[in-house]
Amino acid sequence: MANNTELITNIANLALALSFIVALIFGIAQVRTASRDRKEHFTLDILQNFQSREFAELMCFMAVHKMPSTYEEMNHMPNEEWVLIAQYSQQMESLGMLVAERYINIDLVDKTLGSFVLTSFDKLKPMILDTRQTTNDPFMNEYFQWLAEKVDERMKAKPRKPFNEVR
């Protein structure tokens, strides 16, 4: 009788251990799935932001207008233009942060904005560098600059072919 009780106890303990292991594996799988779902949802939100009319207007403004080269020139611009430059640079700064912190993949930036990140930073670079010194703010647009440099490195190291040519 003692052997049966011991056997039943061992089987019950084994069943509990296996149940725990299965629950742990299931829990880990659920957490990973939820994390992936959040990342996908976040990526879709970012894509929608870059496909908005407002962002298209910012891109057009950046492409067409002459940018100020100093902090002083920036301060003498009409408020509407100053706000557009500030909004665009803040959006690029946020995008750079998201890529740097690996919330979104740089491939997304490459496929959606590509070289525009680099060309727009180059247009703003003289003003940004002057503003950093003039206002004693060495961190101004640091992630925007980092992102532009990363895009430039990627374009030089591994230029992406158009999707229609790859397939």
Side-chain angles (χ1 to χ4, degrees):
M1 188 79 163
N3 282 342
N4 282 344
T5 305
E6 201 174 291
L7 180 63
I8 291 172
T9 302
N10 287 338
I11 291 173
N13 287 338
L14 183 61
L16 282 172
L18 288 174
S19 295
F20 175 76
I21 291 170
V22 168
L24 182 64
I25 291 170
F26 182 73
I28 291 170
Q30 289 292 86
V31 168
R32 285 184 178 169
T33 299
S35 177
R36 186 176 59 245
D37 288 349
R38 276 193 307 274
K39 191 170 184 173
E40 286 174 4
H41 181 72
F42 192 61
T43 299
L44 291 173
D45 286 346
I46 296 292
L47 280 172
Q48 285 177 338
N49 182 46
F50 291 126
Q51 293 174 356
S52 69
R53 178 177 176 81
E54 183 180 52
F55 192 76
E57 288 173 353
L58 288 173
M59 288 179 68
C60 181
F61 177 82
M62 292 300 300
V64 172
H65 285 77
K66 181 182 182 305
M67 294 297 122
S69 59
T70 65
Y71 178 72
E72 184 69 25
E73 283 181 30
M74 177 82 164
N75 281 331
H76 286 86
M77 294 180 76
N79 285 348
E80 299 80 27
E81 292 179 8
W82 195 97
V83 168
L84 291 173
I85 292 171
Q87 182 180 3
Y88 179 80
S89 67
Q90 286 175 346
Q91 285 187 309
M92 291 297 100
E93 182 76 354
S94 296
L95 182 60
M97 285 182 204
L98 293 171
V99 172
E101 296 296 325
R102 292 188 167 94
Y103 287 110
I104 61 172
N105 193 304
I106 196 164
D107 288 340
L108 176 68
V109 176
D110 187 28
K111 291 175 183 173
T112 56
L113 298 173
S115 63
F116 192 75
V117 173
L118 178 61
T119 58
S120 62
F121 180 79
D122 284 345
K123 282 184 84 168
L124 290 172
K125 186 176 182 177
M127 186 272 304
I128 290 170
L129 296 179
D130 184 68
T131 302
R132 286 178 183 171
Q133 288 188 339
T134 303
T135 63
N136 197 26
D137 182 4
F139 305 106
M140 182 185 160
N141 292 126
E142 64 182 323
Y143 287 95
F144 182 11
Q145 180 177 356
W146 175 84
L147 182 63
E149 290 168 356
K150 287 295 174 195
V151 167
D152 188 37
E153 287 172 16
R154 284 175 56 93
M155 288 172 52
K156 288 176 181 170
K158 290 190 268 181
R160 186 173 68 83
K161 290 186 178 186
F163 186 71
N164 62 313
E165 292 178 14
V166 176
R167 296 200 56 126

